[in-house]
Amino acid sequence: MTANVLLLLGWLGELIFASWLLSDGAEHLAERWGGRFVGRTLLSVATTLPEIGIVVAASKDGSYGTALGSALGSNLFMMTFGLAIMLIIATTRLSKAPQKFIDVKEFGLDKIFLIITAVAGAVMFIDGYNFMDGLVFVGLFAIYMGFAFSEMRKEKKAMKVVPFKVHLHENPSQIKSKKHFTRAMFLFIAGTVGIFIGAEPFVHSLEGVSVDMGISVVILAVIVSPIAGEMPEKISMILLARKSANGASIAVANVLGSKILNNTLLLAIAIFATMSYKGFTAKIPNTAMLENQMILVTIITIIALIPMFRNKMGLKSGIMLLILYVVGIGMQFVLPSL
């Protein structure tokens, strides 16, 4: 057992370091675009790469509990604990410019899409996931990206009416040197490679510890895996939340965008990865444990979104989300006995 625990901690550390490299590189690359579009797309895809690596590695070996548990755990972790920490930082003296609340009115599209994709994923899992489900998930992700791109174009058109000098005065850091861009790209690629190197051995060590401890691998995947998988997103959120209200807004876009990606593209990758190793007719089967997890995470996601529909989130919302995370983790140990 000691050997498996040491391996787990070692590969967890490797994933965290690689995720930090990825986060730093992605954040600097994102300076060229900015706004909600960056949070929804570039940062969302970049910070989801750890989950993609873990899901691909797990699907390859038929470890569906780890594959889906990683995606579900990521949503549970960031929609509660992740948002809670961001809100606590942004609305207290931990921020350089504390805000009374974070305005999330502009994320109406994301809130609706997150609910639709969460419910759709749970319903389609009733008879397991197959090739057609994968296509549906890809289609939902493409629709979301299309809407996000359309909104970004509208924002750019609106900004054209503002004098160029104002833009230059407000965003002097937008003019970046070629050397800065090259460094950012190097960090991004290095982080990506590190994640895919560490993903598979991390999955194996996770399974080894679960066997030694007699605890379901799904539970460990839901609790432990997100700590590594969400590290780049967590780092980005903390840094953005400390800067300003605009930074906190981008952090919210990152969370919502990446969770929608988890509910669509990540599940599609799990399905197609399974097919690539097991054959075209391969199917991710429904199990009682995974079904319970799917229902639990869907319910918690919807509850976590309730404060957002009030369009303002403050310190009280952060504390509520923190309590919701503790409840969600506690349920991981209750579900197996139900």
Side-chain angles (χ1 to χ4, degrees):
M1 178 175 176
T2 301
N4 282 326
V5 170
L6 290 175
L7 282 174
L8 177 64
L9 293 176
W11 287 113
L12 178 62
E14 193 272 348
L15 277 178
I16 290 174
F17 178 69
S19 297
W20 178 82
L21 291 177
L22 178 68
S23 176
D24 191 49
E27 190 173 355
H28 288 299
L29 289 175
E31 291 171 356
R32 294 202 167 197
W33 290 277
R36 285 180 293 167
F37 184 73
V38 170
R40 289 167 168 170
T41 57
L42 181 61
L43 282 178
S44 293
V45 173
T47 55
T48 305
L49 283 176
E51 284 88 10
I52 293 176
I54 292 171
V55 165
V56 170
S59 299
K60 172 184 175 182
D61 296 333
S63 302
Y64 306 124
T66 301
L68 295 187
S70 176
L72 294 173
S74 170
N75 281 14
L76 172 63
F77 184 75
M78 292 307 296
M79 285 303 298
T80 54
F81 187 82
L83 278 176
I85 295 302
M86 187 277 291
L87 288 171
I88 291 171
I89 290 175
T91 58
T92 65
R93 293 183 180 180
L94 293 173
S95 171
K96 295 179 180 178
Q99 310 294 315
K100 289 184 177 180
F101 60 85
I102 304 301
D103 189 349
V104 293
K105 183 179 180 179
E106 60 184 0
F107 298 109
L109 167 70
D110 308 82
K111 291 179 281 191
I112 293 172
F113 253 92
L114 186 53
I115 291 177
I116 291 174
T117 56
V119 173
V123 171
M124 287 191 287
F125 191 59
I126 292 175
D127 60 348
Y129 288 146
N130 56 27
F131 173 71
M132 290 304 298
D133 295 322
L135 291 182
V136 172
F137 288 136
V138 171
L140 287 172
F141 179 72
I143 292 172
Y144 176 64
M145 287 293 100
F147 276 118
F149 182 73
S150 176
E151 285 195 3
M152 182 267 289
R153 293 186 64 181
K154 290 180 181 179
E155 287 179 357
K156 281 193 172 182
K157 287 182 180 179
M159 289 177 64
K160 287 182 179 180
V161 302
V162 181
F164 172 76
K165 288 183 179 181
V166 174
H167 289 296
L168 186 62
H169 175 71
E170 292 180 346
N171 300 289
S173 62
Q174 287 182 347
I175 302 176
K176 298 294 177 181
S177 67
K178 184 177 180 180
K179 182 178 180 181
H180 178 85
F181 177 78
T182 301
R183 175 183 176 277
M185 183 61 72
F186 173 79
L187 291 175
F188 185 89
I189 294 174
T192 303
V193 172
I195 286 164
F196 278 96
I197 289 176
E200 187 168 1
F202 176 77
V203 169
H204 288 312
S205 60
L206 189 66
E207 293 172 344
V209 171
S210 70
V211 172
D212 292 337
M213 297 179 66
I215 298 176
S216 169
V217 68
V218 178
I219 293 177
L220 284 179
V222 169
I223 297 174
V224 179
S225 180
I227 296 176
E230 294 295 347
M231 193 54 60
E233 190 168 348
K234 206 75 175 65
I235 294 173
S236 296
M237 284 181 65
I238 291 173
L239 293 177
L240 289 169
R242 290 192 72 247
K243 291 179 180 178
S244 63
N246 184 55
S249 178
I250 295 174
V252 172
N254 184 15
V255 172
L256 295 176
S258 65
K259 295 321 111 187
I260 292 172
L261 188 153
N262 281 3
N263 289 341
T264 55
L265 187 62
L266 190 61
L267 291 178
I269 288 173
I271 295 170
F272 296 140
T274 299
M275 290 171 53
S276 67
Y277 290 109
K278 307 294 182 180
F280 182 80
T281 59
K283 185 177 183 179
I284 298 180
N286 182 340
T287 64
M289 173 64 77
L290 283 175
E291 185 175 284
N292 288 336
Q293 294 287 343
M294 188 73 71
I295 294 172
L296 173 65
V297 173
T298 300
I299 292 174
I300 287 180
T301 296
I302 293 174
I303 293 175
L305 282 171
I306 291 176
M308 287 196 180
F309 281 101
R310 297 172 184 166
N311 295 330
K312 294 180 180 180
M313 299 183 73
L315 183 59
K316 290 182 179 179
S317 298
I319 295 173
M320 184 274 285
L321 291 173
L322 202 58
I323 294 173
L324 188 60
Y325 174 71
V326 174
V327 172
I329 292 301
M331 288 297 295
Q332 308 304 323
F333 299 95
V334 175
L335 288 176
S337 63
L338 297 179

